[in-house]
Amino acid sequence: MTTADRRPRVLSGIQPTSDSFHLGNYLGALRQWVALQETADAFYCVVDLHAITVEHEPKALRERSRVSAAQLLALGLDPDRSTLFVQSQVPEHPMLEWILGCETGFGEASRMTQFKDKSAKQERTTVGLFTYPVLQAADILLYQTDRVPVGEDQRQHLELTRDLAIRFNGAYGRTFNVPEPFIVSETATIKDLTEPEKKMSKSSSGPRGCLYLLDTPNQMRKKIRSAVTDSGSEVRYDPESKAGVSNLLTIYSALTGTPVEKIESEYHGKGYGDFKGDLADLVADSLEPIAKTTKEYLADTAELDRILAKGAEKARSVASRTVAKAYKKVGFYPPVSM
């Protein structure tokens, strides 16, 4: 296969910091991960190393890593078409992070806005949280990644990654691909069901505002029916004055592929009750199979762990070559195979 024929390599990761992914994760990113398997050499990672930058319970973290992987498989990630692994099973991640950390200026790391935001919410701020973007850079550069699917909140971290790759290559000779951002078109941004001016998030949403993929169908229906709209009754997309119903229209459109304008026309003359009732059924019917398949994977943890171990071996076959190259460039002894 020539370089021109090679599929571009992409890498994405998600933290196992919750018992379930939420609808915003699915419609905003994870559904696109599945689609990228068709056109890219895709590496997908459950980033449990990143998850310990905040306080955690070890047993819960291990279980959440499994649940995260099971959900990704249930959503359609195919371990024969992509590489799915848990970050901590590939020790090359922290090995490369140390080298990149020694190339990162203190001022560069201090300017990362996510560190400022997250440290402001925590009583105890760790060095791990401070160097989080450097580990993220190692995640990306380990796999000679060509493209990184990013949202606006991660663009600054990708720029640091690019800067570090260019700096290292300039100092020691070409070692890393310099990755490009990959903005997925038509990605839905899902808002909180009770505070639609905020993005749906497990950390900021109340129990009714965040719709989880592993909620029961009744829980999903209840959350949709009780979602905030406004004092009117017209089903119309207007994020400024009708943020709640606009969010629900976005969800409906994203799940069905129907343009918002067509949905508006279908509910012309009808009230919120009809619209929310139909959407509640749509959400429950769309997500229930994901929850069911996730439970099937979790029912056989030995097989799930086998899939993840196989993915980690495949990831290490790439990551170990990159680390060996970087070690040689900086003057280290070569790492001993584990």
Side-chain angles (χ1 to χ4, degrees):
M1 181 182 294
T2 66
T3 302
D5 294 332
R6 184 176 68 85
R7 285 184 170 191
R9 181 167 291 161
V10 301
L11 178 131
S12 280
I14 190 165
Q15 287 198 40
T17 52
S18 179
D19 294 323
S20 172
F21 299 144
H22 58 69
L23 186 64
N25 297 140
Y26 172 49
L27 296 178
L30 300 180
R31 190 167 60 169
Q32 285 70 36
W33 288 18
V34 176
L36 279 171
Q37 294 179 124
E38 302 297 330
T39 57
D41 179 15
F43 281 65
Y44 296 128
C45 184
V46 177
V47 288
D48 55 342
L49 296 181
H50 289 286
I52 68 169
T53 57
V54 297
E55 289 188 11
H56 74 287
E57 202 283 312
K59 185 177 179 181
L61 175 61
R62 191 174 297 109
E63 179 60 24
R64 285 173 171 176
S65 293
R66 271 204 185 106
V67 172
S68 296
Q71 287 178 93
L72 292 173
L73 291 167
L75 287 168
L77 291 194
D78 182 349
D80 292 326
R81 292 191 297 155
S82 60
T83 303
L84 174 63
F85 62 102
V86 175
Q87 185 186 29
S88 61
Q89 289 194 292
V90 182
E92 286 80 4
H93 286 257
M95 292 167 71
L96 184 57
E97 182 204 6
W98 176 254
I99 293 176
L100 296 179
C102 293
E103 298 292 326
T104 307
F106 186 83
E108 280 181 307
S110 300
R111 288 192 292 273
M112 295 293 107
T113 55
Q114 280 209 348
F115 170 73
K116 296 175 183 177
D117 294 342
K118 291 183 178 181
S119 61
K121 299 174 183 177
Q122 297 180 201
E123 292 183 8
R124 176 174 171 266
T125 302
T126 67
V127 173
L129 182 62
F130 185 69
T131 58
Y132 180 111
V134 183
L135 178 56
Q136 193 172 62
D139 298 338
I140 296 167
L141 297 181
L142 266 178
Y143 300 99
Q144 303 297 346
T145 305
D146 298 304
R147 300 175 185 172
V148 182
V150 290
E152 198 57 42
D153 58 339
Q154 292 293 330
R155 186 180 291 273
Q156 188 186 37
H157 287 183
L158 182 57
E159 284 304 313
L160 175 64
T161 301
R162 287 171 50 80
D163 289 345
L164 290 174
I166 292 168
R167 185 177 306 156
F168 191 96
N169 289 348
Y172 299 104
R174 179 168 173 77
T175 309
F176 304 116
N177 275 358
V178 180
E180 297 289 340
F182 178 58
I183 308 300
V184 181
S185 61
E186 300 179 4
T187 298
T189 299
I190 307 303
K191 302 298 183 68
D192 188 290
L193 297 176
T194 56
E195 299 178 86
E197 69 279 359
K198 298 179 180 178
K199 190 176 179 179
M200 184 176 285
S201 166
K202 66 185 185 316
S203 59
S204 63
S205 298
R208 294 187 301 111
C210 191
L211 201 156
Y212 293 100
L213 301 190
L214 300 186
D215 280 343
T216 66
N218 284 341
Q219 287 173 321
M220 294 177 191
R221 289 186 173 94
K222 186 174 182 180
K223 287 181 180 181
I224 292 293
R225 290 192 180 109
S226 63
V228 166
T229 48
D230 60 77
S231 57
S233 61
E234 184 183 7
V235 179
R236 178 170 55 85
Y237 187 82
D238 183 349
E240 293 298 321
S241 61
K242 298 170 76 70
V245 74
S246 296
N247 184 42
L248 298 182
L249 281 164
T250 298
I251 293 171
Y252 196 119
S253 176
L255 286 174
T256 63
T258 306
V260 168
E261 295 79 7
K262 185 175 180 180
I263 302 169
E264 289 176 321
S265 66
E266 289 176 356
Y267 287 92
H268 180 71
K270 299 180 181 179
Y272 290 158
D274 290 334
F275 173 61
K276 291 169 80 172
D278 291 345
L279 178 59
D281 289 338
L282 171 64
V283 169
D285 292 344
S286 299
L287 301 186
E288 185 179 12
I290 297 171
K292 181 181 178 182
T293 306
T294 297
K295 291 175 184 177
E296 291 172 356
Y297 277 109
L298 292 172
D300 188 351
T301 56
E303 175 61 13
L304 179 57
D305 288 351
R306 186 196 67 78
I307 291 171
L308 293 174
K310 185 177 179 181
E313 289 174 5
K314 186 177 175 183
R316 287 202 70 191
S317 70
V318 178
S320 60
R321 291 197 298 271
T322 301
V323 164
K325 186 185 295 186
Y327 265 44
K328 184 177 181 180
K329 292 291 179 69
V330 299
F332 288 167
Y333 272 72
V336 177
S337 299
M338 298 178 67

